[in-house]
């Protein structure tokens, strides 16, 4: 397979993909474009895509908003994480354990090396108290579609990872 870990997806070439049965040059180029676009995902999507135990999309959104970037989040301690509203000891332990692993630190470093944006979307409040997006980032989870009109044909990043790993 082409992929052994998440960052390996950024090493795949269009030629690698085109060599897979039923994947033509156009599909391969579209997939490479989607992979490149995924680098501008932002912290929330990256956190969710890492598959950290007990950390779903909503929790990833909360963490991204509170910490702003991956380095600040990695430095957060158990007590700080537990102080977040709606955030319990189980989630805090999952994060602390994950970021204490050398393998996780290496994975984050590799993603940084490939230029993956791991900062949060910047929002500011107006005088009326309405949140306005200052900077909007694309999703990290790659949504590749062989046929855009057919929703059920979309691949999630996990589907893509598994599919490429098998080929």
């Amino acid at each position: 397979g082409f992929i052994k870990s998440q960052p390996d997806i950024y090493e795949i070439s269009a030629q690698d993909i085109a060599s897979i049965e039923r994947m033509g040059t156009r599909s391969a180029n579209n997939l490479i474009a989607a992979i490149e676009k995924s680098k501008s995902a932002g912290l929330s999507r990256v956190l969710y895509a890492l598959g950290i135990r007990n950390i779903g999309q909503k929790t990833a959104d909360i963490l991204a908003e509170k910490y702003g970037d991956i380095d600040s989040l990695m430095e957060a301690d158990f007590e700080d994480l537990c102080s977040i509203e709606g955030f319990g000891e189980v989630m805090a332990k999952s994060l602390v354990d994950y970021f204490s692993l050398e393998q996780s630190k290496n994975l984050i470093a590799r993603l940084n090396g490939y230029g993956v944006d791991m900062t949060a979307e910047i929002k500011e409040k107006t005088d009326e108290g309405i949140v306005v997006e200052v900077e909007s980032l694309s999703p990290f989870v790659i949504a590749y579609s062989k046929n855009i009109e057919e929703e059920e044909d979309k691949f999630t990043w996990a589907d893509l990872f598994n599919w490429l790993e098998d080929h």
Side-chain angles (χ1 to χ4, degrees):
F2 295 115
I3 300 175
K4 304 283 186 256
S5 67
Q6 290 98 329
D8 293 344
I9 197 161
Y10 298 110
E11 294 178 7
I12 295 175
S13 70
Q15 294 79 18
D16 292 334
I17 296 167
S19 70
I20 298 170
E21 186 179 335
R22 294 185 290 196
M23 286 294 282
T25 303
R26 184 172 175 206
S27 294
N29 288 334
N30 288 341
L31 183 54
I32 292 299
I35 290 169
E36 236 356 85
K37 186 177 178 183
S38 76
K39 290 180 181 180
S40 62
L43 182 58
S44 175
R45 297 290 181 128
V46 172
L47 284 173
Y48 180 68
L50 289 173
I52 302 169
R53 185 180 201 119
N54 301 308
I55 306 300
Q57 186 63 63
K58 184 176 178 182
T59 305
D61 292 342
I62 292 167
L63 291 167
E65 187 175 324
K66 176 158 176 60
Y67 290 98
D69 62 65
I70 194 75
D71 294 326
S72 297
L73 177 58
M74 290 174 73
E75 292 173 7
D77 62 20
F78 181 81
E79 290 77 22
D80 187 34
L81 291 166
C82 285
S83 72
I84 300 170
E85 186 176 334
F87 210 84
E89 291 182 4
V90 172
M91 288 187 264
K93 183 173 178 356
S94 290
L95 272 172
V96 170
D97 289 349
Y98 181 84
F99 288 126
S100 70
L101 297 172
E102 198 61 37
Q103 177 181 350
S104 299
K105 293 174 187 174
N106 291 337
L107 186 138
I108 298 297
R110 285 186 65 207
L111 289 172
N112 269 323
Y114 286 114
V116 174
D117 178 17
M118 290 185 271
T119 58
E121 187 174 281
I122 300 168
K123 294 184 179 183
E124 62 185 37
K125 290 191 177 187
T126 66
D127 292 338
E128 294 81 34
I130 299 170
V131 176
V132 178
E133 284 189 19
V134 176
E135 179 181 352
S136 182
L137 303 172
S138 302
F140 180 78
V141 178
I142 297 169
Y144 173 72
S145 175
K146 292 185 285 184
N147 184 347
I148 293 172
E149 288 80 31
E150 294 179 44
E151 283 293 317
E152 64 275 356
D153 229 3
K154 286 191 177 181
F155 284 54
T156 64
W157 192 92
D159 293 336
L160 175 63
F161 180 83
N162 291 332
W163 182 79
L164 289 173
E165 190 175 51
D166 293 340
H167 291 84

